[in-house]
Amino acid sequence: MSSAAAFSYVPLLPTGPDQTEYRLITDEGVDVVDGPGGRRFLTVEPSALTALTAEAMHDIAHYLRPAHLAQLRSIIDDPAASPNDRFVALDLLRNANIAAGGVLPMCQDTGTAIVMGKRGRHVLTDGSDAEAISRGVYQAYTRLNLRYSQLAPLTMWEERNTGSNLPAQVEIYAEDPDGHPDAYKFLFMAKGGGSANKSYLYQETKALLNPTRMMQFLEEKLRLIGTAACPPYHLAIVIGGTSAEYALKTAKYASAKYLDALPTSGSMSAHGFRDLELEAEVLELTRNFGIGAQFGGRYFCHDVRVVRLPRHGASCPVAIAVSCSADRQAVAKITPSGVWLERLETDPARFLPDVTEAQLDSSEVVRVDLNRPMDEIRAELAKYPVKTRLSLSGPLVVARDIAHAKIAERLDAGEPMPQYLRDHAVYYAGPAKTPEGYASGSFGPTTAGRMDAYVEKFQAAGGSMVMLAKGNRSAQVTRSCQQHGGFYLGSIGGPAARLAQDCIKHVEVLEYPELGMEAVWKIEVENFPAFIVVDDKGNDFFAEVTKPVLTVGRR
């Protein structure tokens, strides 16, 4: 064996200077004390951690980063954007404006709370950091109009909602953040199921590490992400990693722009770096998918981050993650000067264009009256091709995972399909809490694919003939719709606050009230936007745009 290289240590993810703009939350609960050897120590009370966490979870439920909002506006201003791209971007900007009022959260899936902290060696706490942070999560979710999504496993098969959105995922590392021993720095995230479910790990080999194969691989895998996680995306790709789990975690951080200041070239120190050239090429690749911002166009992604990590010679993990249109994260820090949180945009209205919706959209909008009998609704939809934009008004039944499972059990037991699923279109969704004085809490669509297994059974029994949700669906749904005369309509993923304020006029529970947000609801909607995605003739908009077409490699 050759002689060993000289010892050298470089952090695996060396980041540059912190350029974040912060705002002061409080200077209470923080002090500086003298220690042995003339050292100075920062003391942090649990109350400071709780207050910071509660404020952070509030802000990321209602506000976005200015850079993200500017990217949405740039879609509207881009002449190459499709009408659907611009329509989605405008709806998301309007949603951000409503959410910034602090009442309706931007998305009904207010997510799993994820907190990562780096505590410097001269920071002293009482050791209950995770508990204090969890208390802040509890305060935010129980006091605000957020949704409880965490399920406690009582047995292997039985679960129950915890009623507080706890537990949170809290990870604390002993590390001097940015080289400061008297600092405590954080990344706060709220990760909804839609984007979390689009985290992927592939165990590849050295054979992937050439330009042509890499681009072919990425085209195939990125198309599979689809639209269920509410694009346009902030896409992150990590190639390599000391372990599979480290690759996945790095992809999550990169999707949150947490690793933007990484070096842009590698070295024998074996640290991670960003490949800016590959980022640009992958972004252009996604521009040509045709998927666009959910219903056709260029803006499948806002931007791309590609991080290259060292790897074991026998392993080549590849991790992919996205941050969705609810781009919910913020960094924070506690220093001797106080408790600081990233300043998010509280006035998103400044990004709204001075144009009308009609100027942004040249396509025909078909108005559909949901008060009519189901056969008449289907006959109206049958007149139009996939990608047709609709405006829905009238009653919808709302049902999602648990309700579908319960209804399937009833059908298996020989009971009839509930009349409400025969008479009405079904909306896959689950609301956040309803604020006082509002007809509805934030109430956007959930991922359609989770209900795919039920469609043929339900349609054969006369129900679910018109379905409304977000994202692409499987071939079995297309076949069932063709066989039974059904339709799948795509709703814009992301603008849950705007839908609640502008489109949903009444909400009532029909069945299973004990399931909370998973109950069966009946809602009245007005001018609810949707698109025909799967029709009764076997056409599926997403079937074409998910097929790889790349024939050349990386330039």
Side-chain angles (χ1 to χ4, degrees), residues 155-440:
T155 69
M156 180 59 73
W157 321 119
E158 183 186 2
E159 299 173 310
R160 189 172 302 165
N161 195 298
T162 62
S164 64
N165 214 55
L166 292 177
Q169 178 181 321
V170 182
E171 300 176 1
I172 307 296
Y173 298 91
E175 178 180 331
D176 290 350
D178 302 325
H180 297 291
D182 59 348
Y184 203 161
K185 300 194 75 170
F186 301 88
L187 171 64
F188 292 94
M189 305 178 73
K191 201 70 174 171
S195 60
N197 292 347
K198 296 302 177 180
S199 298
Y200 294 102
L201 173 70
Y202 301 97
Q203 294 285 22
E204 297 297 315
T205 68
K206 166 68 176 174
L208 185 67
L209 299 180
N210 69 79
T212 299
R213 177 66 189 120
M214 178 63 72
M215 292 301 281
Q216 291 171 340
F217 171 86
L218 290 176
E219 184 188 23
E220 175 189 349
K221 302 307 182 186
L222 297 179
R223 284 178 182 270
L224 295 177
I225 295 174
T227 61
C230 307
Y233 298 127
H234 301 284
L235 171 66
I237 302 164
V238 174
I239 300 161
T242 49
S243 65
E245 61 271 24
Y246 193 82
L248 280 167
K249 183 175 295 188
T250 302
K252 179 173 288 187
Y253 293 161
S255 72
K257 307 297 183 68
Y258 187 73
L259 302 177
D260 275 11
L262 282 178
T264 55
S265 61
S267 76
M268 285 304 296
S269 297
H271 56 75
F273 66 90
R274 285 179 59 189
D275 187 326
L276 301 184
E277 181 183 357
L278 188 53
E279 288 178 1
E281 292 180 10
V282 174
L283 180 61
E284 185 59 27
L285 178 72
T286 67
R287 293 278 193 260
N288 295 318
F289 284 173
I291 300 173
Q294 305 190 28
F295 301 102
R298 287 169 48 81
Y299 282 93
F300 185 63
C301 294
H302 283 303
D303 48 43
V304 176
R305 298 293 182 266
V306 177
V307 177
R308 181 67 158 91
L309 293 177
R311 68 184 185 92
H312 184 283
S315 303
C316 186
V318 177
I320 297 173
V322 297
S323 183
C324 66
S325 57
D327 189 40
R328 293 174 296 191
Q329 53 262 327
V331 295
K333 63 181 180 180
I334 301 177
T335 69
S337 61
V339 179
W340 302 83
L341 179 61
E342 180 177 356
R343 186 182 298 277
L344 302 180
E345 181 57 66
T346 58
D347 183 25
R350 67 188 180 93
F351 292 94
L352 284 167
D354 295 323
V355 294
T356 66
E357 182 177 313
Q359 291 172 295
L360 288 169
D361 184 25
S362 60
S363 62
E364 177 187 8
V365 179
V366 176
R367 303 195 178 280
V368 179
D369 181 3
L370 298 175
N371 290 290
R372 290 184 293 173
M374 179 53 64
D375 286 346
E376 292 184 18
I377 294 172
R378 290 194 291 155
E380 178 69 14
L381 294 174
K383 299 176 184 177
Y384 303 99
V386 294
K387 288 181 62 177
T388 298
R389 185 178 148 207
L390 310 173
S391 177
L392 310 177
S393 295
L396 288 169
V397 167
V398 178
R400 49 180 284 158
D401 306 63
I402 297 178
H404 273 71
K406 286 183 172 292
I407 293 169
E409 289 174 0
R410 288 158 58 174
L411 294 178
D412 290 341
E415 297 180 33
M417 170 64 64
Q419 193 64 36
Y420 53 73
L421 279 184
R422 300 175 63 90
D423 293 343
H424 302 294
V426 58
Y427 179 36
Y428 303 158
K433 285 183 280 188
T434 300
E436 186 175 353
Y438 283 69
S440 169

